[in-house]
Amino acid sequence: MLQDAFIIMPKPPNPAKPPDEHWSKSTMSAPFKVNRRMGIRYIRKDIGVTLRKIGLFNFNIGANQDSSVKLVDISSRGVMIATELKLPVNKQVFLTIRFADFKEYKILGKVVRKSEGAILIYGIKFDKVNNKLADKLLATQRKLSFT
């Protein structure tokens, strides 16, 4: 009789181990499996990002120096991108973030993390927190995703 009064709840999942169905588990190395980033991250498919390397030896004469990259997620503090470009950690980059309404944000940042695999995934931290970008991200967010 006493057993009927209690409901046995399943053990909650370990937050350090994401579920198997998460798309990034198989492609991200150890530095990206644990979220150490602060701020609200948005997963958006309607934002375009181009990247330009900054430095003394980054000249491509006669070639467009901006490279289109895939946005994985974004916040007011930085972005996570996927690309075929090879970028060293601590490399300064110039990002152009373009919304569907053609509003652009040009932001300096630095590569702070790198994950190698079939596709290279980079964490890029902005040189400073961009509150205008944060406001735009919040104002244009249409679909909520909780992970």
Side-chain angles (χ1 to χ4, degrees), residues 45-61:
K45 296 184 186 336
D46 61 329
I47 299 173
V49 179
T50 57
L51 178 139
R52 179 181 293 180
K53 297 177 189 178
I54 298 174
L56 186 60
F57 299 108
N58 291 319
F59 4 36
N60 295 332
I61 301 191

Side-chain angles (χ1 to χ4, degrees), residues 10 24-25 31 36 50 60 62-63 66 74 83-84 91 108-110 118 127 139:
S24 63
K25 184 175 183 184
R36 290 186 225 129
T50 57
N60 295 332
D66 290 341
I74 185 169
T83 182
E84 294 176 353
K91 177 72 175 167
L108 290 172
K110 180 169 63 170
D127 282 355

